[in-house]
Amino acid sequence: MYQKTYSTSLKGLSGSLLEIECSITGGLPQFSLIGLSTQAAAASRERIRSALKQLGHSFPASHISVNIHACDVRSTDISESVSWLDLPIALCILACQGMIPREPLGSGVWLGELSLAGELQPLYGALTMARSLISHDWSGVQKEGETPLLFLPAVNAPEAALCSGIRALGLTSLAQAVDVACRRTDLSPAEPLRRVSRELPSLFDKVSGQGIGKRVITLAAAGMHNLLMIGPPGCGKTMLAQTLPALLPELTYEEQIQVTEIYSCRQMLEDPDTLVSNRPFRAPHHSISMPALIGGGRIPMPGEVSLAHRGVLFLDEFPELTRMSLESLREPLESHQVKISRVHSSYTFPADFLLLAGMNPCPCGYYPDKTKCHCREKAVRDYYGKIDSPLLDRMDLILRMESVKAGDIDRSVGLTQQEAVAMVKRAHDIQKERFNSAAVFNSRMDAEDISRFCPLSSEDKKFLTGAVDHFGLSMRAYHKVLRVARTIADMEGSGEIRRPHLLEALQYRVTRFTPEE
């Protein structure tokens, strides 16, 4: 007796079609799962055995062989965490015993982890696995013109329904799956996740005494520029960072799907019925490990830089991160993705985010105020030395902040939130038209784009090159200045980059803090 059906695997943010084969023959009772690790196979055997007994079916006292074959990847690329194969394996066993028809199993894809009572448990990565089915050739399985059927836990069906090329059908238990296979019940395709806009807290107007800080945070939002804030404890770095999400425009529908897919794979969806609608704001503690920040693990999963995709990553106490964590930020800040290599496979995770970093000016936090700071000059230099030049070069803006005076505590200065939102929207609209995309910003311009969209007069170009030589800026920093100047011009509605724009951009690039300077 032989039966075949289909399921999927999950490898990072990509999936692949799996072929499940089951054969029941005579001989000593044995249940062999080929293609899974010993631990995963043992756990799956016990769940399936218990679920079948709860369903009222006796477990066959025969030699049961189940082979899991990856249709388009190597077997070593199948994730060890594949508990959602319980459902297709259990159904194949029932079909081999003649308890359910064989045809429905071979014409659909089945996903679901079984509880000991036979209920289907929620799974993660449903959207990724559904997308992996679209590119597969179903000519030998589905009739021409038919849409592939995906059977999965009901709670995950709306997520999978986001894929237009798949009919997602929700199940609650093994018993219901048996009824569907026997055509005793019909299922309606699930409705896709809803789009819900959530209002963000308004903190911008509550920031006191930091007029320049409000200007710079608006500039960072307008061009999605990385920002390093340096200031004493309590000056408002964290509060300024928390105002940024409310200044950014809503995610587009495509961006919402991208972010939802990442959060699904990490099992971090707050509401299983709605898409992630707001731009992510991630603020991990500075003790975070490198794999947790960048991504990785025994089975590599997205890290904080990917969870902040299309949003903001706020790293407070920046120099307190480990050297390995700081250095690992270089590549995603440049390429906007993370590549993790293993012996048998590689993983790629998106990481297009705005980095906000905050730090004190010295270990105690009060340099250069000698009435409060008693740090040795070497200690201050070593503290700044943790942020090496290649990483500092990747920061578009560097903001020096001072403590708020007592008289300014209850006084809001600088831009209002309404003005800041209007400036950001104007700049984003200009960039959308410029790059013909809602997901490309001035901070992402390459050398060719800079040459095209950031022309300077001969006098201004001579001035900028002189400033670069005087301050010893790198070519990367030179391009950063032009990108920031372009955003400043966009915020003002100017088609040209003028000298004041260059001066302001340079102001956020050449600020100096260490004792020898």
Side-chain angles (χ1 to χ4, degrees):
M1 294 175 285
Y2 172 84
Q3 177 61 42
K4 180 173 70 173
T5 189
Y6 297 94
S7 189
T8 66
S9 67
L10 181 64
K11 191 191 79 169
L13 292 179
S14 62
S16 179
L17 188 69
L18 296 180
E19 191 176 81
I20 313 294
E21 299 176 294
C22 179
S23 173
I24 300 181
T25 59
L28 294 174
Q30 186 177 356
F31 189 2
S32 301
L33 277 172
I34 306 167
L36 294 183
S37 67
T38 303
Q39 184 177 0
S44 185
R45 275 196 301 266
E46 294 306 314
R47 290 193 297 266
I48 293 171
R49 191 188 306 271
S50 176
L52 289 177
K53 288 184 178 180
Q54 293 295 327
L55 192 62
H57 294 283
S58 60
F59 199 77
S62 305
H63 188 99
I64 306 172
S65 297
V66 176
N67 181 45
I68 300 169
H69 170 67
C71 297
D72 51 4
V73 295
R74 296 173 300 178
S75 297
T76 51
D77 284 346
I78 300 175
S79 170
E80 294 183 32
S81 178
V82 283
S83 56
W84 53 83
L85 300 182
D86 292 352
L87 178 62
I89 293 173
L91 292 175
C92 280
I93 292 174
L94 292 175
C96 285
Q97 293 179 285
M99 296 179 179
I100 61 174
R102 301 179 61 181
E103 180 183 352
L105 296 187
S107 60
V109 178
W110 304 78
L111 301 172
E113 176 185 347
L114 295 173
S115 70
L116 297 181
E119 303 296 322
L120 289 184
Q121 308 282 19
L123 54 83
Y124 63 92
L127 178 55
T128 299
M129 289 188 280
R131 288 178 57 190
S132 69
L133 304 176
I134 298 176
S135 59
H136 183 72
D137 181 12
W138 291 92
S139 58
V141 180
Q142 300 281 348
K143 295 180 181 179
E144 185 176 356
E146 286 189 355
T147 304
L149 302 178
L150 175 61
F151 299 91
L152 73 167
V155 69
N156 302 113
E159 181 186 334
L162 292 169
C163 293
S164 58
I166 294 293
R167 291 181 63 198
L169 304 171
L171 300 169
T172 58
S173 64
L174 176 59
Q176 186 181 23
V178 170
D179 288 341
V180 170
C182 294
R183 294 185 171 86
R184 293 195 289 262
T185 184
D186 292 325
L187 298 175
S188 299
E191 293 295 325
L193 292 178
R194 297 177 290 112
R195 299 180 66 180
V196 177
S197 297
R198 294 179 173 84
E199 187 174 352
L200 295 171
S202 178
L203 300 174
F204 195 83
D205 291 332
K206 298 179 182 179
V207 176
S208 302
Q210 292 291 356
I212 297 297
K214 294 165 76 172
R215 164 72 175 180
V216 175
I217 208 75
T218 303
L219 175 56
M224 296 298 283
H225 296 290
N226 300 323
L227 167 61
L228 173 61
M229 298 178 288
I230 306 176
C235 67
K237 299 187 293 294
T238 300
M239 191 170 185
L240 269 177
Q242 292 172 343
T243 67
L244 186 57
L247 302 181
L248 296 172
E250 290 187 356
L251 292 167
T252 64
Y253 182 65
E254 292 74 16
E255 289 174 333
Q256 289 184 10
I257 292 179
Q258 292 174 13
V259 177
T260 299
E261 182 177 4
I262 296 171
Y263 277 69
S264 172
C265 286
R266 281 292 304 270
Q267 306 178 61
M268 295 176 64
L269 288 178
E270 295 182 1
D271 188 345
D273 296 324
T274 63
L275 286 163
V276 177
S277 55
N278 294 331
R279 292 188 181 272
F281 181 84
R282 304 295 300 177
H285 192 263
H286 62 261
S287 62
I288 186 172
S289 67
M290 191 273 284
L293 178 64
I294 301 300
R298 185 176 59 88
I299 301 174
M301 297 297 287
E304 289 290 338
V305 296
S306 295
L307 292 172
H309 182 63
R310 302 299 185 192
V312 179
L313 175 65
F314 177 47
L315 297 178
D316 204 2
E317 305 295 344
F318 200 42
E320 301 300 334
L321 272 72
T322 65
R323 170 66 67 179
M324 187 176 295
S325 296
L326 288 171
E327 291 181 353
S328 65
L329 284 170
R330 297 182 193 173
E331 184 62 25
L333 285 175
E334 198 70 22
S335 65
H336 312 301
Q337 63 181 4
V338 173
K339 294 182 179 180
I340 299 174
S341 297
R342 293 291 186 264
V343 174
H344 297 294
S345 59
S346 61
Y347 301 75
T348 301
F349 302 128
D352 191 354
F353 60 94
L354 188 162
L355 175 62
L356 283 183
M359 62 179 287
N360 295 328
C362 69
C364 78
Y366 294 102
Y367 180 84
D369 186 352
K370 293 301 183 180
T371 62
K372 295 181 179 180
C373 175
H374 302 287
C375 296
R376 296 176 181 270
E377 292 188 355
K378 182 180 184 303
V380 179
R381 288 194 297 268
D382 291 345
Y383 188 70
Y384 278 90
K386 295 180 180 180
I387 312 298
D388 56 21
S389 295
L391 180 56
L392 197 61
D393 259 359
R394 286 166 169 80
M395 307 304 295
D396 300 356
L397 304 165
I398 301 175
L399 171 65
R400 167 68 172 182
M401 300 174 65
E402 302 292 343
S403 296
V404 179
K405 297 180 180 179
D408 295 331
I409 290 178
D410 297 322
R411 188 165 65 94
S412 180
V413 296
L415 295 169
T416 65
Q417 178 160 333
Q418 184 176 3
E419 292 170 339
V421 169
M423 294 176 75
V424 171
K425 184 179 186 305
R426 176 193 300 164
H428 279 234
D429 289 343
I430 292 173
Q431 290 167 84
K432 182 178 180 180
E433 182 178 355
R434 175 181 298 140
F435 303 114
N436 195 27
S437 171
V440 180
F441 303 95
N442 289 336
S443 61
R444 308 299 187 254
M445 286 192 291
D446 57 23
E448 183 178 349
D449 291 331
I450 291 174
S451 176
R452 179 182 178 187
F453 298 117
C454 303
L456 299 177
S457 66
S458 57
E459 292 183 358
D460 287 342
K461 188 170 184 180
K462 183 178 180 180
F463 163 76
L464 182 57
T465 54
V468 167
D469 291 339
H470 177 74
F471 293 109
L473 301 181
S474 66
M475 184 55 67
R476 181 184 285 117
Y478 170 79
H479 286 156
K480 295 284 188 187
V481 171
L482 286 173
R483 293 184 183 109
V484 172
R486 178 69 270 171
T487 301
I488 295 171
D490 291 343
M491 290 170 61
E492 297 178 358
S494 173
E496 299 178 356
I497 298 177
R498 300 189 177 92
R499 182 69 62 88
H501 306 147
L502 291 174
L503 287 170
E504 184 176 359
L506 279 168
Q507 173 187 341
Y508 306 134
R509 187 75 244 172
V510 299
T511 309
R512 298 182 173 186
F513 307 100
T514 53
E516 68 272 17
E517 295 170 334

